[in-house]
């Protein structure tokens, strides 16, 4: 995928330590929407950044604007799934300082009455 016209793509990260933003999505539809926002995919540019042994998450790495971003696919919805994915993501990408859960808000606590 080519970069968008006028974008200022950051240099290719040297390692997983160079990613500071993570986006977590529970549903494939949500992850596909975020994936479409990426200006560039590092995974298409040669070697992938992989993950630590034992990390069950699936990741996509790339650029949104001037930021290197990792997209994590959650195995399901809910607080427990989000916490598990975030924990493993932080292990594989230790310098994540901003994590966003993007989607239908399946991890927002509340009651059925609030829905």
């Amino acid at each position: 995928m080519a970069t968008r016209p006028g974008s200022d793509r950051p240099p290719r990260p040297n390692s997983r330590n160079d990613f500071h933003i993570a986006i977590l999505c529970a549903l494939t539809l949500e992850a596909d929407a975020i994936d479409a926002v990426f200006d560039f995919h590092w995974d298409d540019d040669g070697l992938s950044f992989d993950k630590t042994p034992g990390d069950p998450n699936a990741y996509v790495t790339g650029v949104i604007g001037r930021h290197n971003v990792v997209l994590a696919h959650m195995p399901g919805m809910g607080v427990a799934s989000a916490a598990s994915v975030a924990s493993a993501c932080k292990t594989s990408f230790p310098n994540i300082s901003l994590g966003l859960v993007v989607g239908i808000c399946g991890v927002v606590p509340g009651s059925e009455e609030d829905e």
Side-chain angles (χ1 to χ4, degrees), residues 8-31:
D8 241 349
R9 183 172 72 196
R12 180 175 174 80
N14 292 320
S15 71
R16 294 187 313 255
N17 294 330
D18 294 333
F19 289 86
H20 302 281
I21 299 172
I23 301 175
L24 287 65
C25 294
L27 302 177
T28 302
L29 179 65
E30 298 162 350

Side-chain angles (χ1 to χ4, degrees), residues 51-107:
K51 55 189 176 182
T52 57
D55 181 348
N57 294 342
Y59 298 107
V60 173
T61 58
V63 175
I64 297 177
R66 296 174 299 157
H67 304 282
N68 289 312
V69 178
V70 59
L71 169 61
H73 299 260
M74 293 169 44
M77 294 187 293
V79 175
S81 180
S84 175
V85 169
S87 177
C89 182
K90 185 70 172 165
T91 300
S92 287
F93 297 87
N95 291 328
I96 295 295
S97 58
L98 175 64
L100 305 168
V101 178
V102 176
I104 62 169
C105 298
V107 297

Side-chain angles (χ1 to χ4, degrees), residues 12 40-49 61:
R12 180 175 174 80
F40 185 81
H41 291 87
W42 291 122
D43 304 323
D44 295 343
D45 191 35
L47 300 173
S48 73
F49 289 95
T61 58

